[in-house]
Amino acid sequence: MSAGEARARLFPEREQPGPAYPDPDWDAAHAELAEVGATPRLPRGEYREERAARGEAAMSHDRLCRRYRQFAAGGSVAGGVGRKAGRNMEVDWSGPAMSLVDPATGVVSKVYLFVACLPFGGRGYAEPALDMKQDTWLRRHVHAFESLGGATPRVVPDSLKTGVTAHPREGEVVLNAAYEDLAARA
């Protein structure tokens, strides 16, 4: 007999129409993942808690991620932006500020995380900073270029105030002079 027939005989209570693990609310999960500081573990934890509260089994993390990718590929969620590999490096300050405690003095300082990503290369760079001033921002770019082995033809910042003067609804962003100068030298 086939594996399906054997399973039906051994576990008749499990034979039910429809999927063994109903999908969560993908739209809500997608909105939650878009929030600052969100990780895939947050919606996963909520999904497990909801299923446990109803006395139902939850799908594994791997299956949940695979089903979400299938959902996203189906067009219900905006897909990726078409880009050519090696053309862009995306940069930003990531998430909320963190705290750094000096073990010698106990002084607590705010720490900001600079991140740079090569979208198709699967490579990234992150470096903490004690401020988000322009010279710190530019120095982090230089460190990212060094770490990643060179500069890309385009550096794509989010609409942050450190490097962008204006972000019009249509057209290109307007960079400040120091950021333009760094781009010319890279």
Side-chain angles (χ1 to χ4, degrees):
M1 74 178 63
S2 72
E5 292 170 331
R7 190 172 39 252
R9 286 190 182 180
L10 291 170
F11 307 104
E13 69 279 359
R14 291 190 183 175
E15 289 301 311
Q16 57 188 9
Y21 303 102
D23 285 337
D25 181 350
W26 292 124
D27 291 322
H30 182 69
E32 188 170 349
L33 286 169
E35 293 176 10
V36 172
T39 68
R41 296 198 186 283
L42 295 175
R44 163 83 173 125
E46 291 170 4
Y47 165 75
R48 287 183 67 96
E49 290 170 8
E50 289 172 9
R51 300 286 295 178
R54 292 194 303 253
E56 300 170 344
M59 65 178 90
S60 70
H61 181 74
D62 289 343
R63 179 181 292 215
L64 190 67
C65 291
R66 186 172 46 250
R67 293 288 299 136
Y68 178 73
R69 283 192 301 271
Q70 290 170 347
F71 169 79
S76 297
V77 177
V81 178
R83 298 183 180 109
K84 290 185 178 181
R87 303 274 306 155
N88 296 341
M89 179 172 79
E90 297 177 359
V91 295
D92 200 0
W93 294 111
S94 176
M98 299 173 281
S99 297
L100 173 68
V101 180
D102 184 329
T105 64
V107 173
V108 178
S109 303
K110 274 190 173 180
V111 178
Y112 306 93
L113 189 63
F114 170 84
V115 293
C117 172
L118 299 175
F120 283 103
R123 296 187 59 205
Y125 176 82
E127 184 179 355
L130 295 175
D131 62 57
M132 295 193 318
K133 295 180 180 174
Q134 183 171 333
D135 62 326
T136 304
W137 171 252
L138 298 175
R139 217 173 20 258
R140 295 304 182 270
H141 278 69
V142 172
H143 297 168
F145 296 147
E146 290 169 352
S147 174
L148 297 171
T152 57
R154 289 182 53 153
V155 175
V156 182
D158 200 357
S159 60
L160 72 159
K161 295 176 183 175
T162 311
V164 176
T165 303
H167 197 155
R169 287 185 184 262
E170 295 187 23
E172 294 288 320
V173 296
V174 179
L175 304 176
N176 66 36
Y179 204 25
E180 287 268 355
D181 185 49
L182 174 69
R185 290 185 286 142

